Amino acid sequence: IEEWIKKDASIISDDLLIEKVLIHLDIFEILELKNIYSKNRIKKVWQDNLVKQEPYYHNLNTYFSWFLFGIKNYNLFLKRHNFFKTIK
């Protein structure tokens, strides 16, 4: 990933790159994100772009919440952060 980012960095924003890696690539590339971006940056992109698309990415979000961010109860996380208001 890192070589691709350096080569084509001007094509897409960091946030879009993080979002697309989370959605489309496998766990090895997702873990590579942690070597390039801070956990907080990845989490913000996840919350802003994937969590808000509930329930479409529900299974993926549940996994990321536990695996990447240590959130043990994803549904409680949604409730505490008022994401249920944005989910239709």
Side-chain angles (χ1 to χ4, degrees):
I1 293 177
E2 200 164 341
E3 298 88 31
W4 181 75
I5 290 171
K6 289 178 184 175
K7 180 181 172 203
D8 297 325
S10 64
I11 295 175
I12 64 171
S13 69
D14 290 341
D15 288 356
L16 183 59
L17 175 71
I18 293 168
E19 177 185 353
K20 296 305 178 186
V21 168
L22 290 174
I23 293 171
H24 298 289
L25 297 182
D26 66 21
I27 195 65
F28 299 109
E29 285 82 16
I30 292 168
L31 290 174
E32 186 67 25
L33 280 178
K34 293 171 79 174
N35 294 327
I36 300 168
Y37 299 102
S38 71
K39 180 179 176 180
N40 289 337
R41 176 77 179 265
I42 297 167
K43 187 173 183 179
K44 180 174 179 356
V45 171
W46 171 69
Q47 288 178 311
D48 291 348
N49 300 328
L50 275 74
V51 173
K52 288 186 178 179
Q53 294 186 52
E54 280 287 337
Y56 188 76
Y57 290 121
H58 184 76
N59 291 339
L60 195 59
N61 285 330
T62 301
Y63 178 71
F64 288 154
S65 70
W66 168 78
F67 184 75
L68 294 176
F69 310 116
I71 299 168
K72 294 180 181 174
N73 187 330
Y74 177 63
N75 288 329
L76 183 59
F77 167 82
L78 290 174
K79 186 183 278 186
R80 283 187 179 160
H81 294 282
N82 296 318
F83 282 111
F84 282 122
K85 284 195 257 180
T86 60
I87 300 170
K88 296 182 181 183

